[in-house]
């Protein structure tokens, strides 16, 4: 619950980061492709400002991502250390009362950590999952844009055609024309 609360903005920030990085790459490629025209019309300052603005947007968003990741890491690291103490705190009163042997404490710690590590995958992998989710969201929006751009294609047809080897007539023909 706390991991989701602390990292809820991470998915949106990661999507935004992917968009900002794509915008920056576009501006840089456009700048490179039109360098001669830009130089001829003395547009270096204007184009340089556009590049600088995109770099600042990427850096600002990355700072926001780092802040959320820092807070998330504080929680997850605290969580990892806390789960080491919990089984000992639960079993220690029985040990001090003389009801169980010392070996039972280490067995309890091992069993607790094994079960909890399996159940804690979301907490431990939240950053990776949010980055993955952001990439999937970008691919989904790209897919929807492709579907909307081709009105003749319905939603059940695949975007890419089938690539069967049977359709290639040149593969069996070794003659020279």
């Amino acid at each position: 619950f706390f991991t989701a609360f602390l990292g809820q903005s991470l998915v949106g920030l990661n999507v935004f980061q992917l968009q900002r990085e794509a915008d920056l790459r576009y501006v840089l490629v456009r700048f490179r492709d039109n360098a001669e025209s830009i130089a001829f019309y003395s547009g270096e300052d204007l184009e340089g400002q556009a590049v600088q603005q995109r770099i600042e947007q990427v850096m600002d968003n990355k700072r926001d991502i780092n802040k959320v990741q820092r807070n998330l890491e504080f929680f997850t690291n605290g969580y990892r250390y806390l789960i080491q103490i919990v089984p000992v705190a639960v079993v220690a009163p029985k040990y001090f009362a003389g009801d169980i042997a010392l070996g039972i404490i280490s067995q309890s710690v091992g069993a607790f950590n094994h079960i909890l590590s399996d159940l804690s995958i979301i907490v431990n992998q939240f950053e990776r999952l949010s980055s993955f989710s952001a990439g999937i969201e970008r691919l989904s929006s790209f897919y929807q844009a492709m579907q909307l751009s081709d009105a003749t294609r319905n939603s059940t047809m695949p975007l890419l055609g089938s690539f069967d080897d049977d359709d290639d007539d040149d593969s069996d023909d070794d003659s020279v024309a």
Side-chain angles (χ1 to χ4, degrees), residues 23-83:
D23 290 344
L24 176 62
R25 284 190 300 273
Y26 172 77
V27 167
L28 291 173
V29 168
R30 189 180 65 129
F31 189 73
R32 182 193 64 200
D33 289 346
N34 298 312
E36 188 174 319
S37 298
I38 292 168
F40 181 75
Y41 291 109
S42 300
E44 298 91 349
D45 291 337
L46 185 62
E47 292 296 325
Q49 289 172 358
V51 170
Q52 184 65 31
Q53 178 186 13
R54 298 292 162 83
I55 290 173
E56 288 173 5
Q57 289 173 345
V58 168
M59 296 302 293
D60 289 343
N61 194 61
K62 189 61 178 175
R63 280 187 206 97
D64 292 341
I65 289 173
N66 287 342
K67 288 176 189 174
V68 172
Q69 286 177 334
R70 178 200 60 208
N71 295 339
L72 191 60
E73 282 296 316
F74 281 151
F75 173 74
T76 54
N77 285 337
Y79 176 80
R80 287 184 193 133
Y81 286 115
L82 182 65
I83 63 174

Side-chain angles (χ1 to χ4, degrees), residues 87-102:
V88 174
V90 169
V91 180
K94 289 200 175 267
Y95 171 74
F96 289 122
D99 295 341
I100 59 172
L102 182 62

Side-chain angles (χ1 to χ4, degrees), residues 2-165:
F2 288 114
T3 303
F5 175 73
L6 291 173
Q8 68 187 0
S9 62
L10 201 54
V11 174
L13 287 172
N14 282 327
V15 168
F16 197 60
Q17 185 71 12
L18 291 174
Q19 290 171 343
R20 292 294 162 227
E21 289 172 357
D23 290 344
L24 176 62
R25 284 190 300 273
Y26 172 77
V27 167
L28 291 173
V29 168
R30 189 180 65 129
F31 189 73
R32 182 193 64 200
D33 289 346
N34 298 312
E36 188 174 319
S37 298
I38 292 168
F40 181 75
Y41 291 109
S42 300
E44 298 91 349
D45 291 337
L46 185 62
E47 292 296 325
Q49 289 172 358
V51 170
Q52 184 65 31
Q53 178 186 13
R54 298 292 162 83
I55 290 173
E56 288 173 5
Q57 289 173 345
V58 168
M59 296 302 293
D60 289 343
N61 194 61
K62 189 61 178 175
R63 280 187 206 97
D64 292 341
I65 289 173
N66 287 342
K67 288 176 189 174
V68 172
Q69 286 177 334
R70 178 200 60 208
N71 295 339
L72 191 60
E73 282 296 316
F74 281 151
F75 173 74
T76 54
N77 285 337
Y79 176 80
R80 287 184 193 133
Y81 286 115
L82 182 65
I83 63 174
Q84 300 296 321
I85 298 170
V86 169
V88 174
V90 169
V91 180
K94 289 200 175 267
Y95 171 74
F96 289 122
D99 295 341
I100 59 172
L102 182 62
I104 301 295
I105 293 177
S106 48
Q107 288 176 351
S108 299
V109 169
F112 183 81
N113 286 334
H114 182 70
I115 291 170
L116 198 59
S117 68
D118 293 339
L119 297 176
S120 300
I121 192 159
I122 300 296
V123 172
N124 295 333
Q125 299 298 324
F126 194 84
E127 290 178 40
R128 284 185 179 175
L129 290 171
S130 67
S131 296
F132 178 72
S133 176
I136 294 297
E137 189 166 323
R138 288 270 297 168
L139 288 174
S140 174
S141 64
F142 177 69
Y143 178 78
Q144 290 172 354
M146 288 188 67
Q147 289 288 344
L148 291 173
S149 69
D150 189 359
T152 61
R153 185 185 312 264
N154 66 23
S155 63
T156 60
M157 293 177 61
L159 288 176
L160 298 175
S162 175
F163 297 106
D164 294 332
D165 290 333

